[in-house]
Amino acid sequence: MKTPLACAIAACGLAALPAMAEPQSGGVINTVIQPEPPGLVLGMIQNAPTRTVAGNIYEGLLRYDTDLNPMPQLATSWEESDDGLTYTFHLREDVTWHDGEPFTAEDVVFSADVFHRELNPSARAVLQHVESIEATDDHTVVFTLSQPFGPFMLSFEAGTFTMVPKHVYEGTDFRNNEANNHPIGTGPFKFENWDRGTVIELVKNEDYYEEGLPYLDGVNWHIIPDGASRAVAYENGTVDVLPYGTVENFDVPRLSEMENTCITQEGHEYFSPFAMLWMNNREGPTADKRFRQAVMYAMNREFARDVLWNGLGEVPLSAFGSNARFQNEDLEPYDHDPEKARELLDEMGYDGEEVTLLPLPYGETWTRWAEAVQQNLSEVGINVRTESTDVGGWNQRLGEWDYDLAFTYLYQYGDPALGISRTYLSDNIEKGSPWNNVEGYENERVDELFNEAATAFPEEKREELYHEVQEILHEDVPVGWLLELGFPTIYRCNVKNLVTSGVGVNDGFKDAWIEE
Amino acid sequence: MSFFARFAQNRGALIGLIILIAIIAMAILAPFLFPESPWRMVQRPFLAPFEVDGFALGTDTMGRNVAAGLMHGAWVSLLIGLVSTSVALIIGVPLGAIAGYYGGLVDDALMRFTEFFQTIPNFALAIVLVAIMQPSVTSIVLAIAIVSWPPVARLVRAEFMSLRNREYVEAARLVGQGNATIILKQILPNTLSPIIVLASLMVATAILLESALSFLGLGDPNVMSWGYMIGAARTVIRQAWWLSFFPGMAILLTVLALNLVGEGLDDALNPKLARERQ
């Protein structure tokens, strides 16, 4: 009679390990999207809400884990030539589009060479280094580069390098194609219905190529324009998942204290939103390096993180965030040190000239943040006047360089050549856009280093160049580095496996399941 | 009966006056009691009232002292109320006086001009003006003045029309006084009492308008005002009631006090009317 007893103990042991629970199929998840996306054809439209919804309909060749290592998606394996010029992707052979047509290498060539070259600026930035794209057979694609491009392997995420169906789009006017109202991808969910202003419904793709996936029967994206109402929708159980940016930060502690509520910051590693303070390098006190350094010492960035962002996020060391590759960790941090700030201001002979500060008009958190920074600066003797604007006014004044200090935040896209260098390269100084080198920083050596590093090979060489550029930027402080933002996703704890990749906020429902 | 005795006969007015003096005292004493900037983050955020010594009214979302904000805010609110009312009077009184005194075409022209402003809802116009001029104390004062002068012009015009044919005006004209002298020295002094009463109420309205603008985020981002405090507290009203309660009470009391004082002034300046009312 020994055996049954042993079994019973083993069974008990298993029962006590809930983490080992088997995924269960079934169930529909209700979530929200804010604001309502302008459209759902990824690759044609790159707004954040489009990425978040359509990331479940469309796929790229690769996914990325939270350390930004490539994971197989539509490509199962890939090879890189020793000279860094040829990349070969082997595709899955059992993939079909939502309309039943098979997915082949021709679709990849069409998407990259035709569709994205015409429509997608972020893919174009990568494609300019690509000389040719060829389908050598039905399931093999070869990319040949004109010069080595370090971040090439980071460019295949669904939102940046979306695979679109050739048989639907070839030879048509892409933007006015009928099919745009009913997007067709290869992803785990199919588009079902979009009731404008109310809800976007996605249903399970029964023919999805990964065995058993997805577990969910569907995902409904509710559209609720008011922030407080979105919080209430979670509290009263209408929705189970609140993606990033859908509730005010001040509501986060209250919601996260609710029963059966979990919160995660993961799934943003690829984007790594980085809050910065533009400082006008052209004129006024901000043109002096010592003034900009003083600003860095004067700001209490830990306070902003702890109080305004509920402790989420990281205080950056310098121009490269902690998620960025090639971060130089040997730099001396700009700690909160008002005394040092005052010394620097004395040294430069700052005469109390007034500087203007433009807050980011994206809601209460940003307004409060500007107030805190203004207070920090006035405590070291900097005379700041805040000028509030609406989004249009903010875009315009930054585009016209009509400011001294201004808040913003930018995505880093996993590699310095994709997301960081654009802020500091002098050939990126151009009026009219609030997203380029708005501060007007010009440094020949920095230009040289960034340009060389983008195409340097191998990685060690890039690292060396990027470390040097960080030292210069750290000393010059072209912009203020405020905070690597932590955007929380709030969800019911019985929704499992919600975020499984470095772009998890956009492709998360593939692996998610609901525990009964 | 002296002016003050007549004023004091109205109990409400007396209470209003006491509250008003207290608020003015708050505004004057603010820099001495709280020499630090009210924007300064001094303690943990979200301290409830009386939770920590020295923070009788608690702290706000960023650890700023609510009591300091309230007292410095009193200064801003009163300043904006008084200055914008003065500006409104400077626009409204001359326009009304000229329209009422001369009558005819001049009157028609000026009154159509006044109606132009009266037909646009006050608050909507104020929002537009502040948004165009960029929020600052100056633009707010101007916007409030621009939306609140028409009633002054109307009132002054009516007074002038009823007074311009009085015997003492005729007499002045007979002794050869010019129009300007008659307007300024003969008629205007006799219209002052209704203007003073109206002005006291306008200060109250101006404070309310400023608060409403700040609440909507159109306040001057560089000064701490009561409306700003309520607007900033709105998102956390479920966690921290005191952040909107205290400034809300401050606005309520100030506006109430000004109304009571206005009524008392009315009684004191028009003893006949007051007696009839009793």
Side-chain angles (χ1 to χ4, degrees):
Chain A
M1 291 300 284
K2 260 182 175 173
T3 328
L5 186 63
C7 283
I9 290 168
C12 284
L14 276 178
L17 288 170
M20 301 298 285
E22 272 294 303
Q24 297 158 339
S25 285
V28 171
I29 284 194
N30 288 291
T31 178
V32 284
I33 188 69
Q34 163 63 24
E36 183 168 22
L40 289 178
V41 183
L42 208 52
M44 191 177 293
I45 300 164
Q46 274 93 34
N47 296 55
T50 301
R51 289 167 179 262
T52 302
V53 176
N56 297 287
I57 303 173
Y58 290 96
E59 291 180 319
L61 292 182
L62 305 173
R63 291 173 93 194
Y64 298 92
D65 66 17
T66 47
D67 296 321
L68 303 187
N69 298 310
M71 303 195 285
Q73 177 86 313
L74 290 169
T76 48
S77 62
W78 49 91
E79 291 125 32
E80 178 185 343
S81 67
D82 290 338
D83 58 4
L85 288 176
T86 314
Y87 290 80
T88 309
F89 290 88
H90 301 282
L91 308 180
R92 287 190 74 110
E93 301 187 1
D94 50 355
V95 181
T96 56
W97 294 100
H98 291 163
D99 59 2
E101 295 286 322
F103 164 78
T104 69
E106 285 300 322
D107 290 308
V108 181
V109 175
F110 172 78
S111 301
D113 227 10
V114 184
F115 197 83
H116 290 311
R117 272 198 208 271
E118 182 173 333
L119 295 176
N120 185 341
S122 54
R124 251 196 322 248
V126 178
L127 286 165
Q128 62 172 343
H129 302 282
V130 177
E131 211 167 67
S132 73
I133 307 165
E134 277 170 274
T136 51
D137 65 45
D138 265 3
H139 299 102
T140 310
V141 182
V142 180
F143 288 78
T144 310
L145 277 58
S146 48
Q147 53 192 331
F149 183 57
F152 190 65
M153 279 306 287
L154 273 168
S155 327
F156 291 93
E157 176 260 334
T160 316
F161 231 103
T162 321
M163 288 302 129
V164 294
K166 181 181 180 184
H167 65 275
V168 172
Y169 285 102
E170 193 181 31
T172 66
D173 175 2
F174 301 149
R175 287 199 186 276
N176 296 315
N177 193 309
E178 287 267 303
N180 293 348
N181 295 322
H182 196 290
I184 288 171
T186 57
F189 292 92
K190 296 204 271 193
F191 175 82
E192 171 74 11
N193 175 41
W194 183 354
D195 191 356
R196 300 260 166 185
T198 310
V199 68
I200 301 170
E201 292 167 4
L202 307 184
V203 294
K204 178 176 184 169
N205 176 4
E206 297 286 351
D207 303 321
Y208 194 59
Y209 52 88
E210 283 190 57
E211 196 55 42
L213 293 180
Y215 299 112
L216 300 171
D217 290 335
V219 183
N220 295 336
W221 302 87
H222 296 272
I223 295 148
I224 306 171
D226 174 58
S229 310
R230 288 191 292 273
V232 170
Y234 182 81
E235 285 173 296
N236 68 19
T238 312
V239 305
D240 300 315
V241 177
L242 291 171
Y244 69 97
T246 47
V247 283
E248 289 284 351
N249 279 339
F250 299 110
D251 282 330
V252 172
R254 179 165 53 90
L255 294 174
S256 57
E257 276 165 21
M258 284 176 62
E259 217 174 292
N260 187 30
T261 294
C262 290
I263 179 166
T264 178
Q265 283 190 73
E266 288 186 0
H268 270 106
E269 292 76 7
Y270 183 78
F271 303 113
S272 310
F274 196 143
M276 296 184 189
L277 189 69
W278 293 122
M279 297 199 254
N280 199 332
N281 285 221
R282 300 174 187 86
E283 54 190 10
T286 47
D288 192 308
K289 179 172 90 182
R290 287 166 297 187
F291 184 90
R292 301 196 298 267
Q293 289 172 341
V295 169
M296 285 301 284
Y297 284 119
M299 290 189 295
N300 190 346
R301 298 178 291 166
E302 278 82 8
F303 172 87
R305 179 192 58 192
D306 295 341
V307 172
L308 293 165
W309 292 90
N310 299 310
L312 300 181
E314 295 224 21
V315 174
L317 183 60
S318 168
F320 284 43
S322 55
N323 283 323
R325 307 168 74 204
F326 314 116
Q327 193 198 24
N328 184 344
E329 287 165 17
D330 302 330
L331 301 169
E332 189 77 19
Y334 281 102
D335 291 323
H336 178 50
D337 188 347
E339 210 34 61
K340 203 155 181 177
R342 277 184 214 109
E343 277 167 28
L344 282 162
L345 292 172
D346 280 346
E347 192 189 313
M348 73 169 268
Y350 172 64
D351 57 359
E353 186 183 339
E354 190 175 74
V355 290
T356 57
L357 171 66
L358 298 187
L360 189 63
Y362 280 11
E364 292 289 311
T365 306
W366 294 93
T367 311
R368 294 293 93 73
W369 199 354
E371 289 163 14
V373 165
Q374 176 175 23
Q375 181 58 28
N376 281 158
L377 297 183
S378 66
E379 275 165 29
V380 300
I382 299 176
N383 192 2
V384 184
R385 187 160 48 88
T386 303
E387 295 186 348
S388 38
T389 59
D390 55 5
V391 180
W394 181 87
N395 278 342
Q396 191 194 345
R397 291 194 54 181
L398 286 181
E400 296 284 318
W401 309 335
D402 176 18
Y403 72 97
D404 292 316
L405 303 170
F407 278 81
T408 191
Y409 79 89
L410 298 169
Y411 284 163
Q412 296 188 78
Y413 298 122
D415 191 280
L418 299 177
I420 295 175
S421 61
R422 59 177 173 155
T423 307
Y424 308 102
L425 288 173
S426 64
D427 58 10
N428 226 356
I429 299 178
E430 198 182 343
K431 275 199 179 183
S433 164
W435 311 113
N436 53 23
N437 181 345
V438 174
E439 80 275 15
Y441 177 66
E442 286 179 74
N443 184 324
E444 263 178 48
R445 181 68 189 143
V446 167
D447 288 353
E448 239 172 66
L449 286 166
F450 266 126
N451 288 331
E452 206 181 323
T455 55
F457 187 80
E459 299 284 279
E460 292 72 33
K461 181 68 188 153
R462 297 190 73 202
E463 176 158 18
E464 196 182 303
L465 296 165
Y466 279 131
H467 277 200
E468 190 185 335
V469 90
Q470 283 172 73
E471 278 166 29
I472 303 175
L473 293 175
H474 190 75
E475 167 70 18
D476 284 355
V477 197
V479 300
W481 303 292
L482 294 172
L483 189 63
E484 296 171 57
L485 300 175
F487 277 136
T489 301
I490 300 169
Y491 60 101
R492 309 248 188 251
C493 293
N494 60 335
V495 177
K496 305 288 181 190
N497 267 352
L498 186 60
V499 177
T500 50
S501 77
V503 284
V505 290
N506 294 349
D507 66 4
F509 290 108
K510 170 182 172 173
D511 301 305
W513 56 281
I514 303 170
E515 188 179 58
E516 290 303 325
Chain B
M1 222 173 0
S2 77
F3 173 80
F4 184 75
R6 288 200 303 266
F7 180 85
Q9 265 185 347
N10 184 333
R11 266 307 146 66
L14 209 54
I15 296 172
L17 187 66
I18 292 167
I19 299 176
L20 198 60
I21 289 172
I23 290 164
I24 293 170
M26 262 170 74
I28 294 170
L29 291 178
F32 302 105
L33 290 176
F34 298 98
E36 285 186 339
S37 159
W39 296 97
R40 201 180 147 85
M41 297 146 274
V42 285
Q43 249 290 354
R44 272 183 298 129
F46 291 116
L47 282 181
F50 299 109
E51 199 176 319
V52 168
D53 281 348
F55 294 91
L57 302 185
T59 59
D60 74 358
T61 48
M62 294 209 296
R64 300 176 294 212
N65 191 345
V66 175
L70 215 55
M71 295 195 58
H72 284 268
W75 178 252
V76 175
S77 294
L78 289 178
L79 183 83
I80 288 181
L82 287 172
V83 176
S84 59
T85 302
S86 313
V87 176
L89 291 179
I90 291 171
I91 306 173
V93 172
L95 278 180
I98 291 168
Y101 182 77
Y102 290 105
L105 268 179
V106 179
D107 181 34
D108 276 348
L110 288 176
M111 281 307 107
R112 294 302 86 77
F113 180 65
T114 311
E115 276 160 11
F116 173 73
F117 283 90
Q118 279 189 306
T119 47
I120 307 172
N122 273 359
F123 192 51
L125 182 59
I127 290 179
V128 171
L129 288 172
V130 173
I132 294 173
M133 293 190 281
Q134 288 240 347
S136 71
V137 170
T138 323
S139 69
I140 291 168
V141 163
L142 269 180
I144 295 176
I146 287 171
V147 301
S148 45
W149 67 264
V152 182
R154 285 271 177 196
L155 175 83
V156 175
R157 170 180 171 264
E159 291 289 322
F160 266 71
M161 281 171 76
S162 78
L163 295 179
R164 69 176 172 196
N165 295 322
R166 292 288 173 90
E167 280 153 15
Y168 69 90
V169 178
E170 303 277 337
R173 211 167 274 145
L174 260 166
V175 298
Q177 288 189 348
N179 286 332
T181 321
I182 294 176
I183 290 176
L184 289 174
K185 295 224 166 124
Q186 303 297 342
I187 310 185
L188 196 59
N190 287 299
T191 61
L192 274 185
S193 44
I195 294 177
I196 288 171
V197 175
L198 180 67
S200 69
L201 298 176
M202 279 168 65
V203 174
T205 320
I207 290 175
L208 272 181
L209 264 175
E210 189 276 331
S211 304
L213 285 170
S214 299
F215 177 82
L216 291 179
L218 285 169
D220 186 329
N222 302 292
V223 298
M224 179 73 80
S225 80
W226 293 338
Y228 159 78
M229 291 172 81
I230 300 178
R234 183 189 43 164
T235 43
V236 290
I237 194 160
R238 288 166 67 177
Q239 287 105 304
W241 57 269
W242 61 93
L243 296 185
S244 22
F245 177 78
F246 292 118
M249 283 305 288
I251 294 174
L252 174 80
L253 286 175
T254 311
V255 171
L256 183 69
L258 282 164
N259 275 292
L260 291 172
V261 168
E263 201 172 295
L265 283 174
D266 195 19
D267 287 356
L269 293 167
N270 297 302
K272 243 171 137 186
L273 272 177
R275 243 173 281 136
E276 275 165 25
R277 222 178 292 153
Q278 279 159 9

